[in-house]
Every structure is written in structure tokens, then in C-alpha cells.
């Protein structure tokens, strides 16, 4: 078999829905998908950043609003007849509310993903759940976030088993410490920043765009036999011991 890299990793024409696509990671992924020939459809409560407004289709929606989600997905289905990829980038880190983390990071993602799956059943597709180092490790003072990401990790594995028969692949992409608005509060505190940097073999925080290589792999045919997996882009954080 003669495989060409340019075809194997192509995302040209792929219809991609990105929940939380206005955030630091989501907006970067939406932008790069568009720039590489894909269709970026952002679903978020917040308008996208100025630099990607003209590049993406944006639907303002709270994922907990089932009726609005159904209306939006019907519009997408009518226009494109398919959805090739779902990237669940939506997420909060709320140290003051356990249930808010669970509702947004896990329950709303599950409910929305199930609706996407019904559209994907006809032609297959790729679902990428953005998890975290917190789906593998316990971190202090944020039990809701840690719990929600651990639950999301295992949701992926369950969905993988249930929907592989429809050629729907479901994988986790776990960022390490990526420089975004969410991580900036502790990054600006030298003690907190250095604690994290000391655990990262590459010695720096990652950039949102550094997740794109893994995303291209998971969207494209290059990962056609990959499902139920955890892929971490963390600068080596998980590999480091004492």
C-alpha cells in the first residue's frame, strides 16, 4: 500500500464542531482547523476572539440548554449532511463549586456528545474529549475539576466500546500546563509557576497551538485504528518522578 503523508493527515473538508471553541485552547484549534482546509463550527456561550470570527461559524449556546443544542445541530446537519469530528474543549475550573465542574465538564459534554453520535452513526467520525493531567493525578483544592476530568476520561472509554460498530472513534487528549487564561492566574505567581515548571521536563508551559498536531492525527485517517486512548501533550509532566 502506497500511503502519502499529505493524504493520510489531511483534514480538508472535515466538518468539525468545537464546544468551548472561544476559549484559549478551543479558539486555537478552531483557527488551525480552518487554516488547514477544515470547517470550524464553534459552539460556546462567549463570542470567539476577533482573530477567528471571520474563520469560523459561531453558534451562541449553553450546552446545558438541550433545546438550543438540538436546533443548532439540526442546522449543521441540514447544511453539511454530516459531522466528521467533535472536539469537546468546553470546561471550567471552579474551586468554589463541585457541582458546577461536574455539570459543565462532564454532564453537559455527555448529553451533547450523545446527540452528535446520532448524526455520526451514518458515516462514522472522530470524537476528541479534552481531558487534563487531572484525569490521571490528584491535585489539591479543586476536587470538582479533578473528579469531572477523571469521569470524562472514563466516559470516553465507555463510548469507544459502545459506538465502535458505527466507526465512531472516541479518544482523550490531555493537555499539560498550557498558557491560557485559565492557567494564567497561577502562572503569574512565581512560587506556583516554579512548582509546575520543576515538574515539566521540557521546562516551560505549552502553547495552545502545540495541541494541534495531536488533534490533526485524531481527526484524520492517520488514526483510523485508534480509539479509546489517552494522548497527553504535557511536556513530559506525567513521566517525571522525584
Amino acid at each position: 500500500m502506497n500511503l502519502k503523508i499529505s493524504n493520510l493527515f489531511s483534514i480538508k473538508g472535515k466538518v468539525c464542531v468545537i464546544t468551548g471553541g472561544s476559549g484559549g485552547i478551543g479558539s486555537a484549534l478552531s483557527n488551525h482547523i480552518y487554516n488547514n482546509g477544515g470547517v470550524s463550527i464553534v459552539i460556546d456561550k462567549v463570542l470567539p476572539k476577533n482573530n477567528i470570527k471571520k474563520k469560523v461559524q459561531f453558534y451562541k449556546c449553553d450546552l446545558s440548554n438541550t433545546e438550543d443544542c438540538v436546533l443548532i445541530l439540526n442546522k449543521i446537519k441540514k447544511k453539511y449532511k454530516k459531522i466528521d469530528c467533535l472536539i469537546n474543549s468546553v470546561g471550567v475550573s471552579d474551586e468554589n463549586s463541585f457541582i458546577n465542574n461536574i455539570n459543565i465538564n462532564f454532564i453537559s459534554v455527555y448529553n451533547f456528545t450523545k446527540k452528535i453520535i446520532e448524526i455520526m452513526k451514518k458515516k462514522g467520525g472522530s470524537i476528541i474529549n479534552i481531558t487534563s493531567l487531572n484525569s490521571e493525578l490528584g491535585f489539591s483544592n479543586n476536587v470538582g475539576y479533578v473528579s469531572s476530568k477523571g469521569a470524562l476520561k472514563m466516559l470516553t472509554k465507555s463510548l469507544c466500546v459502545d459506538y465502535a460498530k458505527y466507526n465512531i472513534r472516541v479518544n482523550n487528549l490531555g493537555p499539560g500546563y498550557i498558557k491560557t487564561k485559565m492557567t494564567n492566574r497561577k502562572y503569574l505567581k512565581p512560587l506556583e509557576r516554579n512548582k509546575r515548571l520543576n515538574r515539566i521536563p521540557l521546562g516551560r508551559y505549552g502553547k495552545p497551538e502545540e495541541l494541534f498536531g495531536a488533534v490533526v492525527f485524531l481527526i484524520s485517517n492517520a488514526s483510523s485504528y485508534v480509539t479509546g486512548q489517552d494522548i497527553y501533550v504535557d511536556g513530559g509532566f506525567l513521566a517525571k518522578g522525584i
Side-chain angles (χ1 to χ4, degrees), residues 10-15 31-40:
S10 174
I11 60 171
K12 187 175 181 179
K14 298 283 188 180
V15 178
N31 188 29
H32 290 303
I33 287 169
Y34 171 88
N35 287 337
N36 285 275
V39 177
S40 291

Side-chain angles (χ1 to χ4, degrees), residues 181-195:
K181 184 178 179 180
M182 183 182 286
T183 62
N184 198 47
R185 181 169 61 88
K186 291 185 177 178
Y187 180 85
L188 293 175
K189 299 177 180 179
L191 182 62
E192 295 292 338
R193 179 174 68 247
N194 288 332
K195 278 198 302 186

Side-chain angles (χ1 to χ4, degrees), residues 28 69 94 111 117 164 184 198 213 228-229 235 241:
C69 288
D94 188 344
N111 288 333
I117 283 172
N184 198 47
N198 288 336
Q229 301 304 306

Side-chain angles (χ1 to χ4, degrees), residues 142-153:
N142 204 350
V143 65
Y145 185 76
V146 175
S147 299
S148 68
K149 290 299 184 178
L152 183 60
K153 171 188 172 179

Side-chain angles (χ1 to χ4, degrees), residues 26-239:
S27 62
L29 297 181
S30 302
N31 188 29
H32 290 303
I33 287 169
Y34 171 88
N35 287 337
N36 285 275
V39 177
S40 291
I41 303 170
V42 169
I43 298 178
D44 206 322
K45 295 191 296 184
V46 182
L47 284 169
K49 295 179 180 179
N50 292 332
N51 63 328
I52 66 166
K53 280 182 180 178
K54 296 179 180 179
K55 299 182 179 182
V56 305
Q57 297 173 53
F58 175 73
Y59 293 96
K60 187 173 183 179
C61 180
D62 185 331
L63 288 192
S64 65
N65 189 323
T66 303
E67 291 183 3
D68 282 357
C69 288
V70 170
L71 287 173
I72 289 168
L73 288 177
N74 284 340
K75 289 179 181 178
I76 296 170
K77 184 180 178 182
K78 183 177 181 180
K79 184 172 183 179
Y80 294 102
K81 314 301 182 193
K82 64 172 184 172
I83 293 175
D84 296 299
C85 177
L86 167 64
I87 302 174
N88 281 312
S89 183
V90 65
V92 297
S93 178
D94 188 344
E95 296 178 4
N96 299 312
S97 174
F98 179 89
I99 198 64
N100 196 40
N101 288 285
I102 298 297
N103 283 337
I104 295 173
N105 299 348
F106 179 61
I107 294 175
S108 67
V109 168
Y110 168 72
N111 288 333
F112 188 77
T113 300
K114 285 283 285 183
K115 292 176 177 60
I116 290 278
I117 283 172
E118 290 306 310
I119 298 173
M120 284 185 171
K121 278 183 177 179
K122 188 173 182 180
K123 296 184 177 181
S126 173
I127 297 171
I128 304 168
N129 288 325
I130 305 295
T131 55
S132 168
L133 296 174
N134 292 264
S135 62
E136 295 286 347
L137 302 171
F139 285 72
S140 62
N141 301 319
N142 204 350
V143 65
Y145 185 76
V146 175
S147 299
S148 68
K149 290 299 184 178
L152 183 60
K153 171 188 172 179
M154 295 312 297
L155 172 66
T156 291
K157 296 180 186 299
S158 294
L159 294 177
C160 150
V161 173
D162 289 340
Y163 296 103
K165 61 188 175 184
Y166 297 104
N167 196 31
I168 297 173
R169 299 181 294 105
V170 194
N171 291 286
N172 290 320
L173 176 58
Y177 280 96
I178 305 296
K179 192 77 164 51
T180 65
K181 184 178 179 180
M182 183 182 286
T183 62
N184 198 47
R185 181 169 61 88
K186 291 185 177 178
Y187 180 85
L188 293 175
K189 299 177 180 179
L191 182 62
E192 295 292 338
R193 179 174 68 247
N194 288 332
K195 278 198 302 186
R196 288 155 178 78
L197 289 175
N198 288 336
R199 284 294 309 272
I200 303 172
L202 286 181
R204 63 177 176 84
Y205 277 47
K207 302 171 185 177
E209 56 265 29
E210 290 183 294
L211 297 169
F212 187 57
V215 167
V216 168
F217 171 67
L218 292 173
I219 296 175
S220 71
N221 292 333
S223 60
S224 60
Y225 198 55
V226 178
T227 191
Q229 301 304 306
D230 305 295
I231 298 176
Y232 288 95
V233 182
D234 66 353
F237 191 104
L238 284 174

